Amino acid sequence: MKDTILKFLKLDSLIEHLTGFVETRIELMKVEVQEEISRVLSRALVFIVISSVLTLFVLLFSMAISYKIGERLGNFGGFAIVGGFYLLIGVVILAFRTQISEKVEGKLEEIMKRKKKKK
């Protein structure tokens, strides 16, 4: 009885089409999520490589500066001055960490809003 009513009202094909639409939509969402994950992972990998190279540069450059200063003041003096410089930078970052964090958070929110508008 139920089947004949559905066929009579042509709801049977409508239900099939609706089911197919939902399944297709789910598959599309899966593909979009996979693309977003691959995009994020590739950006993270590039960031890690660039960060590693820059860290190595800063380390080697700091050692070169320390040795150069150490030629005049003694090795300990050169390394102490460069170490003090990095300590000063660390204290400044520590003192302004909330402001820095708020600015970074604001920039990230702005980027996320731009991405949502593009879609």
Side-chain angles (χ1 to χ4, degrees), residues 60-108:
L60 294 174
F61 189 72
S62 296
M63 289 179 70
I65 296 292
S66 297
Y67 278 118
K68 197 64 176 165
I69 293 172
E71 287 177 357
R72 293 201 178 235
L73 301 176
N75 277 337
F76 179 77
F79 282 97
I81 289 173
V82 172
F85 173 72
Y86 284 120
L87 179 64
L88 179 66
I89 290 174
V91 168
V92 168
I93 290 173
L94 185 64
F96 294 106
R97 69 182 177 268
T98 55
Q99 291 90 341
I100 293 170
S101 176
E102 289 170 359
K103 278 193 173 193
V104 169
E105 186 177 330
K107 290 287 185 182
L108 288 175

Side-chain angles (χ1 to χ4, degrees), residues 8-61:
F8 178 72
L9 297 175
K10 296 185 181 182
L11 292 176
D12 193 30
S13 65
L14 180 65
I15 291 173
E16 287 178 21
H17 289 298
L18 186 60
T19 304
F21 174 76
V22 170
E23 289 174 355
T24 305
R25 190 78 176 138
I26 290 172
E27 290 299 318
L28 178 64
M29 295 285 280
K30 286 179 184 178
V31 169
E32 288 176 348
V33 167
Q34 287 175 345
E35 287 177 354
E36 188 68 25
I37 288 173
S38 66
R39 190 176 310 120
V40 168
L41 287 177
S42 67
R43 287 183 181 174
L45 183 62
V46 168
F47 177 77
I48 289 170
V49 169
I50 290 172
S51 297
S52 299
V53 169
L54 288 176
T55 300
L56 195 59
F57 168 77
V58 169
L59 178 69
L60 294 174
F61 189 72

